[in-house]
Amino acid sequence: MNAPDINLIPLLFASIFTSNILLANFLGMCSFISISKDMQSSNGLGMAVTLVLFLTSGLNWVVYHMVLVPLGLEYLRFIIFITVIASMVQIIEMVIDRVSPKLYITLGIFLPLITVNCAILGVSLFLEIREYTFLQSLVYGLGSGLGWWLAIMLLAAIRKKVEKGPVPAALKGPGITVITIGFMAMAFIGFGGMLPVQ
Amino acid sequence: MNKQNFGYTILFTAVVSFVFVLALAVVNEVTADQIQFNREVRLVRSVLDAMGVEFEDDEHARELFNDVQQVEQNGLSLYRFARNEEVLYAKQYSGAGLWGPIRGHLGIRADGERTLGLTILEHDETPGLGGRIDEPWFQEQFRNKRLVDGRIRMGSRDGQGDFVEDSGEFDGITGATSTSQAMERIINNHLEEITRALGGAS
Amino acid sequence: MSSAPAPGAMLRDNLWTNNPIFMQILGICSALAVTNLLTNTMIMTIAVVGVMGMTNLTVSLIKSLIPRKVRMMVQTLIIASYVIVVDIILRAYLPDISRALGPYVGLIITNCIIMGRAEAFAQQNPPLLSVWDGVTSAFGYMGVLLAIALIRELLGFGSLFGYQVMPEIFEPWIIMVMPPSAFFVLGIVIWIGKAIMEREGAPA
């Protein structure tokens, strides 16, 4: 089985816009809705997700293709992937703490949230199903992270306005947020017309 | 024994991991044959489906498949099925979709004039958008259709079947331009290979 | 959660007043994507019921043995193991569904509700009660997702569980098959649910 011949630039573009991991694949919703109340936290979490996604997609690719496949242990991939993600988050937390205490204040509190962010595990599972090469995996991980970051920043900005508007009592909070996300999802699909022929 | 003790923590984690991994290995081993069997049945059904051969159930499909030969035609590996003076061909195709590989079988008549059918075995397009290629209406439109210059064209209109009979034009999927274009490219590439291989033989 | 919850009260609490989706929109990541078809949603949520019941049982049984430091890790390991079992069973006996669900079965691991209940309930309560809690919470989750899938499949394909129910002249709403509609329908379902709750006087 040879890897699919998928161009990296459309892949990056598609993973950020047209098939945004959050808006088209619904991944990473839990923290997305609870954190997007606040712009600054959204920014911090978005940055952290992008970093972790980029690194774990590369690492999980290596683990899957260099360790699990040769040993015939593909069926254990769920456990291995989640362990790799959890360890990666721990390591990043320690490194950031040592290297830049200032950055740690911005990112630190969000890192533990990331282990249970479905987007991270989701991307690792997609890499395996789609048979990406190492390079494609990195690009897809990066693109998905950037897409997630962009989506949460936009939603945080919209929510600020919406919260002041006259919303029916029962729709306040999660209800109106979910519907807002729906409109964003429609807008993002509209980017499809811009995607160059691949 | 102190539960917060370092040694205990390590031991506990190791034992728990061992027990669970062992249990999973057993489950995996027990079901391995069934999974392999499912895979074979799926391949058989897909090849016959692509050729437009009808069958009642899995058993019947496997029976029919016994008469399907795997042939090398000018270096191209094809499934060949001769029935009632009619010769049907199918080829396994694969190519890059928007996200990942799309695989399946493409059936064609021996004279290369008409497609017999198309199946999609594997794809990972966006659910609800490009992912709609696995809906029956999309695949059914390739059933016994005339080719124009040995190619197909993917229209942009979304419908429930091709809209001009025998125009060589098929419906793409609204909102999933890339997937539709990818399908068009994959199918045409494989059609070209097949017609070249079959043409060279006669 | 009080120290000795009554099973009847728990049922009501987990299914309705404290429904994880209504109150916090937890755990939808793994399942929202498959809500365009009822059958897939059904299988997916049954898998969640199984995983959640078994996880709560296991955590509750070994809770006194788990060292505090690795608690989360052990819980994750338990959840992941049951999810793998579900994945293997689907592959072996329901191959078509397994393919349709794709990576989303694996994503049950990161369903926040499962770990949430294991942590909040099974860690403190006896095994049988924990299973009950897990199963009822999962049913609450199942109810909301099936409601979404019902609307999406009916309007998007004109069918229910794959059987055509709408008359021939019905033109399917393409939008209902596409991802954004999942958000719209979820928002509306939450809206209706909360409105009913408010009328009942429950704290919403």
Side-chain angles (χ1 to χ4, degrees), chain C residues 157-180:
Chain C
F157 294 96
S159 60
L160 292 176
F161 289 107
Y163 294 103
Q164 204 66 32
V165 290
M166 291 302 238
E168 274 292 308
I169 47 162
F170 173 75
E171 182 70 32
W173 302 12
I174 302 292
I175 178 78
M176 279 295 165
V177 184
M178 292 166 70

Side-chain angles (χ1 to χ4, degrees), chain B residues 12-155:
Chain B
F12 178 85
T13 315
V15 168
V16 168
S17 310
F18 180 76
V19 169
F20 275 96
V21 170
L22 191 71
L24 289 176
V26 170
V27 175
N28 186 57
E29 203 52 48
V30 169
T31 53
D33 288 343
Q34 181 70 34
I35 292 174
Q36 183 58 35
F37 175 78
N38 289 343
R39 207 168 289 151
E40 281 167 26
V41 167
R42 206 167 130 69
L43 175 86
V44 165
R45 295 183 75 113
S46 172
V47 171
L48 293 177
D49 239 353
M51 289 175 170
V53 176
E54 283 175 17
F55 50 87
E56 283 146 29
D57 52 13
D58 291 353
E59 262 323 296
H60 187 207
R62 282 158 66 85
E63 223 168 86
L64 285 172
F65 195 71
N66 285 334
D67 295 330
V68 175
Q69 303 159 288
Q70 260 190 300
V71 292
E72 285 281 326
Q73 193 83 271
N74 295 332
L76 194 71
S77 168
L78 292 170
Y79 292 99
R80 182 175 187 277
F81 187 42
R83 192 180 61 162
N84 314 336
E85 334 243 302
E86 207 183 359
V87 181
L88 314 173
Y89 284 98
K91 179 182 190 301
Q92 167 146 29
Y93 69 85
S94 82
L98 169 63
W99 286 120
I102 300 178
R103 293 205 180 87
H105 292 97
L106 177 65
I108 192 164
R109 238 168 48 177
D111 57 14
E113 294 266 308
R114 278 172 179 269
T115 59
L116 291 167
L118 176 87
T119 60
I120 288 169
L121 275 173
E122 265 173 50
H123 76 88
D124 194 36
E125 303 307 290
T126 317
L129 294 170
R132 302 188 65 203
I133 53 174
D134 64 12
E135 287 175 15
W137 69 264
F138 183 83
Q139 294 170 42
E140 275 307 313
Q141 42 173 350
F142 291 89
R143 186 72 71 211
N144 196 20
K145 284 293 148 60
R146 176 178 299 283
L147 294 167
V148 174
D149 301 328
R151 299 174 67 79
I152 62 144
R153 259 177 313 129
M154 210 49 107

Side-chain angles (χ1 to χ4, degrees), chain C residues 118-156:
Chain C
E119 178 70 19
F121 197 93
Q123 279 288 345
Q124 279 101 38
N125 287 285
L128 280 182
L129 210 55
S130 300
V131 173
W132 179 244
D133 177 74
V135 170
T136 49
S137 298
F139 276 134
Y141 174 77
M142 181 191 247
V144 176
L145 288 176
L146 283 179
I148 297 171
L150 183 95
I151 299 171
R152 288 186 72 190
E153 186 176 340
L154 187 67
L155 298 178

Side-chain angles (χ1 to χ4, degrees), chain B residues 160-171:
Chain B
Q160 306 294 320
D162 78 350
F163 47 98
V164 183
E165 191 65 28
D166 288 341
S167 63
E169 183 151 355
F170 296 85
D171 287 351

Side-chain angles (χ1 to χ4, degrees), chain C residues 34 37-44 97 101 146 149 153 160-162:
Chain C
V34 299
L37 288 171
L38 266 171
T39 315
N40 293 352
T41 314
M42 193 78 190
I43 301 287
M44 182 79 180
I97 303 267
L101 297 179
L146 283 179
E153 186 176 340
L160 292 176
F161 289 107

